[in-house]
Amino acid sequence: MTFIAFASAKGSPGVTTLSLLTAALWPRTSILADADVTGGDIAYQMIGESGQPLNTDRGLMSLLPIARKSLDAAVVPQHAQTLLGGIDLLAGLPEPEQAQAVEKLWPTIGRAFATLTSHDVLADLGSLRMSSPHLQLAREAEALVFVMRPRSTQVMHMRSRLQKLRDAMPGATPRFGIVVVAPQSDRRNAEAAVASLGEDVLRFTDYLGHVAFDPKGASMFEGQVLNRPERTVLVRSAVPVIENIAALAGITLDAGQVAAALGGKPAKPLPGAPKPSRKQRRGSSAPEAPAGTPGHSTPGPGAPAPAGYPAPQQPPASAPGTPPQSDSRPGTPRSGMPEGRVASAAPEPTVEIPRRPVGSPGRGAAPQPGTEPAPTEPPQPPAPPADRPMTRRERRGR
Protein backbone atom coordinates (compact mmCIF):
# COMPACT_ATOMS: atom_id res chain seq x y z
CA MET A 1 0.00 0.00 0.00
CA THR A 2 1.72 3.22 1.16
CA PHE A 3 4.76 4.01 3.31
CA ILE A 4 4.76 7.43 5.05
CA ALA A 5 7.60 8.59 7.31
CA PHE A 6 7.63 11.35 9.96
CA ALA A 7 10.84 13.10 11.03
CA SER A 8 12.32 16.31 12.43
CA ALA A 9 15.50 18.25 11.74
CA LYS A 10 16.49 18.57 15.39
CA GLY A 11 15.02 18.12 18.83
CA SER A 12 11.54 16.85 19.67
CA PRO A 13 8.96 19.20 18.13
CA GLY A 14 6.17 16.59 18.26
CA VAL A 15 7.02 13.86 15.73
CA THR A 16 5.89 10.98 17.96
CA THR A 17 2.63 12.71 18.91
CA LEU A 18 1.78 13.42 15.26
CA SER A 19 2.66 9.84 14.29
CA LEU A 20 0.41 8.37 16.98
CA LEU A 21 -2.41 10.78 16.17
CA THR A 22 -2.19 10.00 12.45
CA ALA A 23 -2.27 6.26 13.15
CA ALA A 24 -5.28 6.69 15.46
CA LEU A 25 -7.28 8.68 12.89
CA TRP A 26 -6.00 6.93 9.75
CA PRO A 27 -9.12 5.62 7.94
CA ARG A 28 -7.27 2.71 6.32
CA THR A 29 -5.61 -0.37 7.83
CA SER A 30 -2.19 0.71 9.03
CA ILE A 31 0.85 -0.19 11.13
CA LEU A 32 2.85 2.33 13.14
CA ALA A 33 6.60 1.60 13.15
CA ASP A 34 8.76 3.19 15.85
CA ALA A 35 11.99 3.64 13.85
CA ASP A 36 13.62 6.30 16.02
CA VAL A 37 17.30 5.28 16.03
CA THR A 38 17.98 7.13 19.29
CA GLY A 39 15.68 4.66 21.09
CA GLY A 40 12.00 3.85 20.75
CA ASP A 41 9.63 5.44 23.26
CA ILE A 42 6.15 4.33 22.19
CA ALA A 43 6.44 0.83 23.65
CA TYR A 44 7.22 2.38 27.04
CA GLN A 45 4.55 5.09 27.12
CA MET A 46 1.66 3.00 25.74
CA ILE A 47 0.06 -0.25 26.89
CA GLY A 48 -1.44 -3.19 25.05
CA GLU A 49 -5.12 -3.76 24.37
CA SER A 50 -5.23 -6.17 27.32
CA GLY A 51 -3.94 -3.45 29.67
CA GLN A 52 -0.53 -5.11 30.06
CA PRO A 53 2.86 -3.58 29.16
CA LEU A 54 4.16 -4.19 25.66
CA ASN A 55 6.91 -6.62 24.76
CA THR A 56 9.87 -4.51 23.63
CA ASP A 57 11.54 -7.56 22.05
CA ARG A 58 8.68 -7.94 19.58
CA GLY A 59 8.86 -5.47 16.71
CA LEU A 60 11.98 -4.28 14.96
CA MET A 61 14.05 -6.35 17.39
CA SER A 62 12.42 -9.53 16.07
CA LEU A 63 12.08 -8.33 12.46
CA LEU A 64 15.65 -7.22 11.79
CA PRO A 65 17.26 -10.67 12.26
CA ILE A 66 14.92 -12.04 9.58
CA ALA A 67 16.04 -9.28 7.22
CA ARG A 68 19.61 -10.62 7.29
CA LYS A 69 18.59 -13.33 4.79
CA SER A 70 15.40 -12.30 2.99
CA LEU A 71 12.36 -10.45 4.28
CA ASP A 72 8.92 -11.07 2.88
CA ALA A 73 6.69 -8.03 3.31
CA ALA A 74 3.79 -10.23 4.42
CA VAL A 75 5.75 -11.14 7.58
CA VAL A 76 5.78 -7.55 8.89
CA PRO A 77 2.25 -7.55 10.45
CA GLN A 78 3.10 -10.71 12.40
CA HIS A 79 5.59 -8.74 14.52
CA ALA A 80 3.13 -5.96 15.43
CA GLN A 81 1.35 -5.53 18.76
CA THR A 82 -2.05 -3.92 19.24
CA LEU A 83 -2.16 -0.90 21.52
CA LEU A 84 -5.06 0.08 23.72
CA GLY A 85 -7.23 1.91 21.21
CA GLY A 86 -6.57 -0.35 18.22
CA ILE A 87 -3.23 0.91 16.80
CA ASP A 88 -0.90 -1.82 15.51
CA LEU A 89 2.67 -1.03 16.58
CA LEU A 90 6.11 -2.28 15.58
CA ALA A 91 8.09 -1.57 18.74
CA GLY A 92 11.39 0.25 18.22
CA LEU A 93 14.94 -0.59 19.20
CA PRO A 94 15.74 0.09 22.86
CA GLU A 95 19.30 1.43 22.32
CA PRO A 96 20.86 3.65 19.63
CA GLU A 97 23.86 1.31 19.36
CA GLN A 98 21.56 -1.41 18.03
CA ALA A 99 20.34 0.86 15.23
CA GLN A 100 23.93 1.60 14.27
CA ALA A 101 24.84 -2.09 14.21
CA VAL A 102 22.08 -2.97 11.72
CA GLU A 103 22.66 -0.01 9.39
CA LYS A 104 22.92 -2.30 6.34
CA LEU A 105 19.50 -3.82 7.04
CA TRP A 106 17.48 -0.57 6.97
CA PRO A 107 17.08 -0.61 3.14
CA THR A 108 15.58 -4.12 3.37
CA ILE A 109 13.14 -2.96 6.06
CA GLY A 110 12.22 0.07 3.93
CA ARG A 111 11.46 -2.05 0.87
CA ALA A 112 9.29 -4.36 2.97
CA PHE A 113 7.35 -1.35 4.28
CA ALA A 114 6.89 0.05 0.77
CA THR A 115 5.76 -3.26 -0.79
CA LEU A 116 3.37 -4.34 1.97
CA THR A 117 -0.05 -4.82 0.34
CA SER A 118 -2.24 -5.35 3.41
CA HIS A 119 -1.36 -2.28 5.49
CA ASP A 120 -0.19 1.30 5.19
CA VAL A 121 3.00 1.84 7.17
CA LEU A 122 3.45 5.04 9.21
CA ALA A 123 7.00 5.29 10.56
CA ASP A 124 8.31 7.59 13.29
CA LEU A 125 11.95 8.26 12.30
CA GLY A 126 12.72 10.79 15.01
CA SER A 127 15.53 13.16 14.06
CA LEU A 128 16.79 12.63 10.49
CA ARG A 129 20.15 13.88 9.21
CA MET A 130 22.69 12.93 6.58
CA SER A 131 24.62 10.68 8.98
CA SER A 132 21.56 8.85 10.30
CA PRO A 133 21.85 5.06 9.95
CA HIS A 134 18.20 4.82 8.84
CA LEU A 135 18.55 7.34 6.01
CA GLN A 136 18.12 4.48 3.53
CA LEU A 137 14.81 3.65 5.21
CA ALA A 138 13.57 7.19 4.53
CA ARG A 139 14.48 6.84 0.84
CA GLU A 140 11.84 4.11 0.41
CA ALA A 141 8.98 6.26 1.76
CA GLU A 142 6.30 7.62 -0.51
CA ALA A 143 6.02 10.79 1.59
CA LEU A 144 8.40 12.28 4.14
CA VAL A 145 6.64 14.59 6.62
CA PHE A 146 8.80 16.95 8.69
CA VAL A 147 7.62 18.53 11.95
CA MET A 148 8.93 21.79 13.41
CA ARG A 149 8.04 24.58 15.82
CA PRO A 150 7.79 28.24 14.70
CA ARG A 151 11.13 29.24 16.18
CA SER A 152 14.01 30.91 14.42
CA THR A 153 16.51 28.20 15.40
CA GLN A 154 14.30 25.38 14.12
CA VAL A 155 13.58 27.26 10.90
CA MET A 156 17.30 27.61 10.22
CA HIS A 157 18.00 23.93 10.93
CA MET A 158 15.00 22.82 8.87
CA ARG A 159 16.02 24.90 5.85
CA SER A 160 19.54 23.46 5.81
CA ARG A 161 18.33 19.89 6.45
CA LEU A 162 15.70 19.90 3.69
CA GLN A 163 18.17 21.18 1.13
CA LYS A 164 20.75 18.50 1.96
CA LEU A 165 18.22 15.68 2.06
CA ARG A 166 16.74 16.73 -1.27
CA ASP A 167 20.20 16.58 -2.83
CA ALA A 168 20.74 13.13 -1.32
CA MET A 169 17.33 11.85 -2.50
CA PRO A 170 16.95 12.85 -6.16
CA GLY A 171 13.90 11.75 -8.05
CA ALA A 172 10.16 11.92 -7.55
CA THR A 173 10.06 10.08 -4.21
CA PRO A 174 9.84 10.70 -1.39
CA ARG A 175 7.71 13.82 -1.59
CA PHE A 176 8.50 16.32 1.15
CA GLY A 177 5.94 17.97 3.39
CA ILE A 178 6.09 20.07 6.54
CA VAL A 179 3.77 20.42 9.54
CA VAL A 180 4.10 23.19 12.14
CA VAL A 181 3.18 22.57 15.79
CA ALA A 182 2.14 25.79 17.54
CA PRO A 183 -0.68 27.07 19.75
CA GLN A 184 -4.03 27.27 18.00
CA SER A 185 -3.97 31.07 18.06
CA ASP A 186 -0.54 31.21 16.36
CA ARG A 187 -1.68 30.21 12.89
CA ARG A 188 -0.16 33.33 11.32
CA ASN A 189 3.10 32.73 13.15
CA ALA A 190 3.17 29.15 11.81
CA GLU A 191 2.59 30.32 8.24
CA ALA A 192 5.29 32.97 8.63
CA ALA A 193 7.76 30.32 9.84
CA VAL A 194 7.09 28.22 6.74
CA ALA A 195 7.52 31.25 4.49
CA SER A 196 10.91 31.88 6.16
CA LEU A 197 12.19 28.59 4.73
CA GLY A 198 12.65 30.36 1.40
CA GLU A 199 11.39 29.85 -2.12
CA ASP A 200 14.14 27.39 -3.00
CA VAL A 201 12.95 25.02 -0.22
CA LEU A 202 9.23 25.54 -0.77
CA ARG A 203 9.73 24.62 -4.41
CA PHE A 204 9.91 20.94 -3.44
CA THR A 205 8.25 21.04 0.02
CA ASP A 206 4.48 21.28 0.59
CA TYR A 207 3.02 23.02 3.63
CA LEU A 208 0.54 20.51 5.09
CA GLY A 209 -0.94 22.64 7.83
CA HIS A 210 -0.78 23.65 11.46
CA VAL A 211 -1.40 21.29 14.39
CA ALA A 212 -2.28 22.89 17.72
CA PHE A 213 0.14 22.58 20.61
CA ASP A 214 -2.13 20.94 23.18
CA PRO A 215 -0.38 19.23 26.12
CA LYS A 216 -3.72 18.15 27.58
CA GLY A 217 -4.78 16.45 24.35
CA ALA A 218 -1.34 14.86 23.90
CA SER A 219 -1.54 13.34 27.39
CA MET A 220 -3.84 10.61 26.04
CA PHE A 221 -0.72 9.11 24.42
CA GLU A 222 0.94 8.97 27.83
CA GLY A 223 -1.66 6.88 29.63
CA GLN A 224 -4.06 9.67 30.65
CA VAL A 225 -7.80 9.07 30.28
CA LEU A 226 -9.68 12.01 28.74
CA ASN A 227 -13.40 12.52 28.52
CA ARG A 228 -14.21 12.70 24.79
CA PRO A 229 -10.65 13.08 23.45
CA GLU A 230 -12.05 13.63 19.96
CA ARG A 231 -13.13 17.10 21.11
CA THR A 232 -9.65 18.25 22.11
CA VAL A 233 -8.00 21.05 20.20
CA LEU A 234 -5.22 18.67 19.17
CA VAL A 235 -7.54 16.23 17.42
CA ARG A 236 -9.73 18.82 15.72
CA SER A 237 -6.74 20.72 14.34
CA ALA A 238 -5.13 17.51 13.05
CA VAL A 239 -8.08 16.35 10.89
CA PRO A 240 -7.32 18.61 7.85
CA VAL A 241 -3.58 18.01 8.29
CA ILE A 242 -4.03 14.24 8.04
CA GLU A 243 -6.09 14.68 4.89
CA ASN A 244 -3.21 16.69 3.38
CA ILE A 245 -0.71 14.02 4.44
CA ALA A 246 -2.76 11.39 2.61
CA ALA A 247 -2.89 13.60 -0.50
CA LEU A 248 0.91 14.07 -0.35
CA ALA A 249 1.30 10.27 -0.44
CA GLY A 250 -1.07 9.97 -3.38
CA ILE A 251 -4.04 8.69 -1.35
CA THR A 252 -7.44 10.16 -2.16
CA LEU A 253 -9.75 10.24 0.84
CA ASP A 254 -13.45 10.93 0.65
CA ALA A 255 -14.72 14.15 2.16
CA GLY A 256 -14.92 13.74 5.92
CA GLN A 257 -13.40 10.24 5.92
CA VAL A 258 -10.84 11.17 8.55
CA ALA A 259 -13.42 13.00 10.64
CA ALA A 260 -15.68 9.92 10.43
CA ALA A 261 -13.06 7.96 12.37
CA LEU A 262 -13.84 10.18 15.37
CA GLY A 263 -17.36 8.78 15.46
CA GLY A 264 -16.20 5.19 15.58
CA LYS A 265 -15.88 4.24 11.89
CA PRO A 266 -13.80 2.13 11.87
CA ALA A 267 -13.92 0.88 15.47
CA LYS A 268 -10.56 2.34 16.55
CA PRO A 269 -11.13 4.72 19.48
CA LEU A 270 -8.53 7.20 20.62
CA PRO A 271 -6.24 5.86 23.35
CA GLY A 272 -7.49 8.40 25.90
CA ALA A 273 -11.16 7.38 25.65
CA PRO A 274 -12.62 5.80 28.82
CA LYS A 275 -13.38 2.09 28.75
CA PRO A 276 -17.05 1.05 28.32
CA SER A 277 -18.86 -0.46 31.28
CA ARG A 278 -20.00 -4.07 31.38
CA LYS A 279 -23.59 -3.07 30.64
CA GLN A 280 -22.48 -1.03 27.61
CA ARG A 281 -20.35 -3.91 26.29
CA ARG A 282 -23.44 -6.17 26.45
CA GLY A 283 -25.25 -3.85 24.08
CA SER A 284 -27.34 -1.94 26.59
CA SER A 285 -29.03 1.22 25.41
CA ALA A 286 -27.47 3.29 28.15
CA PRO A 287 -27.07 6.92 27.06
CA GLU A 288 -23.46 7.12 28.23
CA ALA A 289 -21.98 4.58 25.78
CA PRO A 290 -18.70 6.07 24.45
CA ALA A 291 -18.39 6.28 20.71
CA GLY A 292 -15.84 4.25 18.85
CA THR A 293 -15.27 1.45 21.36
CA PRO A 294 -14.28 -1.92 19.94
CA GLY A 295 -17.33 -3.86 18.86
CA HIS A 296 -19.54 -0.79 19.06
CA SER A 297 -20.29 0.58 15.62
CA THR A 298 -22.96 3.11 16.54
CA PRO A 299 -21.64 6.53 17.61
CA GLY A 300 -22.52 7.46 21.17
CA PRO A 301 -24.62 10.48 22.10
CA GLY A 302 -22.91 13.79 21.44
CA ALA A 303 -20.55 12.20 18.92
CA PRO A 304 -19.61 14.43 15.96
CA ALA A 305 -21.28 14.03 12.63
CA PRO A 306 -19.36 11.76 10.22
CA ALA A 307 -18.82 14.55 7.69
CA GLY A 308 -17.14 17.56 9.28
CA TYR A 309 -15.54 18.68 12.48
CA PRO A 310 -16.88 17.59 15.85
CA ALA A 311 -19.10 20.33 17.29
CA PRO A 312 -19.78 20.73 21.01
CA GLN A 313 -23.31 20.22 22.27
CA GLN A 314 -25.36 23.41 22.65
CA PRO A 315 -27.71 23.80 25.64
CA PRO A 316 -31.45 24.18 24.86
CA ALA A 317 -32.75 27.72 24.57
CA SER A 318 -34.68 28.94 27.60
CA ALA A 319 -37.78 31.10 27.64
CA PRO A 320 -37.43 34.88 28.19
CA GLY A 321 -37.10 35.74 31.84
CA THR A 322 -36.13 32.20 32.79
CA PRO A 323 -32.59 31.62 34.11
CA PRO A 324 -30.56 29.30 31.85
CA GLN A 325 -30.44 25.70 32.99
CA SER A 326 -27.04 24.05 33.22
CA ASP A 327 -26.31 20.82 31.45
CA SER A 328 -25.31 18.08 33.89
CA ARG A 329 -24.47 15.43 31.35
CA PRO A 330 -21.05 13.78 31.83
CA GLY A 331 -18.36 15.34 29.69
CA THR A 332 -20.22 18.67 29.22
CA PRO A 333 -18.06 21.48 30.64
CA ARG A 334 -19.77 24.16 32.67
CA SER A 335 -18.82 27.78 32.98
CA GLY A 336 -15.66 28.05 35.01
CA MET A 337 -15.10 24.29 35.15
CA PRO A 338 -12.29 22.45 33.31
CA GLU A 339 -13.27 20.18 30.48
CA GLY A 340 -13.87 16.57 31.48
CA ARG A 341 -15.23 17.39 34.96
CA VAL A 342 -18.80 17.90 36.08
CA ALA A 343 -19.64 20.58 38.61
CA SER A 344 -21.73 19.19 41.47
CA ALA A 345 -24.32 21.55 42.95
CA ALA A 346 -23.53 22.24 46.62
CA PRO A 347 -26.48 21.42 48.96
CA GLU A 348 -28.17 24.43 50.54
CA PRO A 349 -27.48 24.73 54.29
CA THR A 350 -30.41 23.72 56.47
CA VAL A 351 -31.15 25.42 59.82
CA GLU A 352 -32.63 23.38 62.64
CA ILE A 353 -35.34 25.42 64.48
CA PRO A 354 -35.58 24.38 68.13
CA ARG A 355 -39.08 23.35 69.09
CA ARG A 356 -40.57 23.79 72.57
CA PRO A 357 -41.99 20.78 74.33
CA VAL A 358 -45.67 20.21 73.80
CA GLY A 359 -47.69 22.09 76.39
CA SER A 360 -44.96 24.55 77.40
CA PRO A 361 -46.01 28.23 76.96
CA GLY A 362 -44.00 30.43 74.70
CA ARG A 363 -42.39 33.77 75.49
CA GLY A 364 -44.96 36.28 76.64
CA ALA A 365 -47.78 33.73 76.59
CA ALA A 366 -50.57 34.28 79.13
CA PRO A 367 -51.09 31.59 81.78
CA GLN A 368 -53.94 29.20 81.27
CA PRO A 369 -57.11 29.88 83.25
CA GLY A 370 -57.19 28.13 86.59
CA THR A 371 -53.44 27.86 86.91
CA GLU A 372 -51.15 29.93 89.07
CA PRO A 373 -47.67 30.80 88.05
CA ALA A 374 -44.99 29.13 90.07
CA PRO A 375 -43.36 31.48 92.59
CA THR A 376 -39.96 32.58 91.64
CA GLU A 377 -37.18 32.92 94.23
CA PRO A 378 -34.48 35.59 94.00
CA PRO A 379 -31.16 34.27 92.91
CA GLN A 380 -28.85 33.33 95.81
CA PRO A 381 -25.14 34.08 95.71
CA PRO A 382 -22.98 31.02 95.41
CA ALA A 383 -21.71 29.61 98.70
CA PRO A 384 -17.99 29.98 99.31
CA PRO A 385 -15.88 26.88 99.46
CA ALA A 386 -15.61 25.26 102.88
CA ASP A 387 -11.85 25.56 103.08
CA ARG A 388 -11.79 29.36 102.45
CA PRO A 389 -12.60 31.97 105.18
CA MET A 390 -15.50 34.32 104.52
CA THR A 391 -14.80 37.87 103.44
CA ARG A 392 -16.17 40.95 105.21
CA ARG A 393 -18.71 41.55 102.44
CA GLU A 394 -19.91 37.98 102.68
CA ARG A 395 -20.31 38.23 106.47
CA ARG A 396 -22.34 41.47 106.11
CA GLY A 397 -24.60 39.93 103.57
CA ARG A 398 -25.06 36.96 105.80
Side-chain angles (χ1 to χ4, degrees), residues 149-161:
R149 298 283 180 88
R151 301 171 183 170
S152 58
T153 55
Q154 294 208 9
V155 170
M156 298 299 294
H157 286 294
M158 182 64 67
R159 178 193 303 171
S160 175
R161 192 65 44 83

Side-chain angles (χ1 to χ4, degrees), residues 82-368:
T82 304
L83 304 180
L84 182 64
I87 301 175
D88 292 333
L89 173 70
L90 280 176
L93 300 177
E95 300 294 337
E97 291 78 11
Q98 297 170 335
Q100 192 73 32
V102 295
E103 182 177 1
K104 296 181 179 181
L105 301 180
W106 288 114
T108 306
I109 297 293
R111 285 191 294 269
F113 288 170
T115 57
L116 184 61
T117 58
S118 59
H119 296 71
D120 290 331
V121 178
L122 311 173
D124 176 11
L125 305 185
S127 179
L128 184 64
R129 53 189 182 274
M130 297 299 299
S131 60
S132 298
H134 61 339
L135 181 62
Q136 299 297 327
L137 175 66
R139 292 177 184 269
E140 302 293 335
E142 186 71 24
L144 186 54
V145 179
F146 288 89
V147 184
M148 76 171 187
R149 298 283 180 88
R151 301 171 183 170
S152 58
T153 55
Q154 294 208 9
V155 170
M156 298 299 294
H157 286 294
M158 182 64 67
R159 178 193 303 171
S160 175
R161 192 65 44 83
L162 289 175
Q163 290 175 342
K164 292 180 179 179
L165 290 176
R166 182 77 278 175
D167 296 338
M169 300 180 183
T173 57
R175 302 178 60 185
F176 286 12
I178 190 165
V179 175
V180 180
V181 177
Q184 184 68 9
S185 58
D186 289 350
R187 182 178 299 274
R188 294 183 178 179
N189 193 17
E191 295 175 352
V194 174
S196 300
L197 294 174
E199 293 293 336
D200 52 343
V201 173
L202 296 179
R203 190 178 298 111
F204 58 86
T205 306
D206 295 338
Y207 176 47
L208 303 177
H210 160 227
V211 174
F213 176 72
D214 183 16
K216 178 182 178 181
S219 65
M220 64 181 169
F221 298 120
E222 298 175 357
Q224 299 294 327
V225 177
L226 302 181
N227 192 8
R228 296 188 179 181
E230 70 275 4
R231 292 192 175 187
T232 59
V233 180
L234 173 68
V235 174
R236 288 190 289 179
S237 64
V239 170
V241 174
I242 294 175
E243 293 178 353
N244 293 335
I245 292 175
L248 182 69
I251 302 174
T252 303
L253 299 179
D254 297 336
Q257 193 172 358
V258 177
L262 302 178
K265 302 176 183 179
K268 185 169 60 174
L270 293 170
K275 296 181 180 180
S277 63
R278 181 179 301 176
K279 182 182 296 184
Q280 294 165 354
R281 290 196 300 266
R282 290 177 179 176
S284 173
S285 58
E288 299 299 330
T293 52
H296 190 280
S297 59
T298 304
Y309 292 93
Q313 295 289 334
Q314 299 293 337
S318 56
T322 305
Q325 299 181 358
S326 61
D327 192 359
S328 60
R329 291 174 297 174
T332 304
R334 296 189 179 186
S335 175
M337 296 295 296
E339 184 176 357
R341 298 185 180 180
V342 180
S344 58
E348 296 183 358
T350 57
V351 180
E352 292 291 339
I353 301 178
R355 299 181 179 273
R356 298 185 179 90
V358 179
S360 61
R363 180 183 299 180
Q368 298 292 334

Side-chain angles (χ1 to χ4, degrees), residues 34-76:
D34 189 356
D36 190 346
V37 294
T38 61
D41 296 333
I42 301 178
Y44 296 110
Q45 68 187 50
M46 301 291 291
I47 59 176
E49 60 179 350
S50 61
Q52 300 298 323
L54 297 175
N55 183 7
T56 56
D57 293 333
R58 181 182 174 187
L60 291 179
M61 280 288 292
S62 59
L63 193 62
L64 282 168
I66 303 176
R68 294 183 182 275
K69 297 181 180 180
S70 62
L71 180 59
D72 186 5
V75 181
V76 174

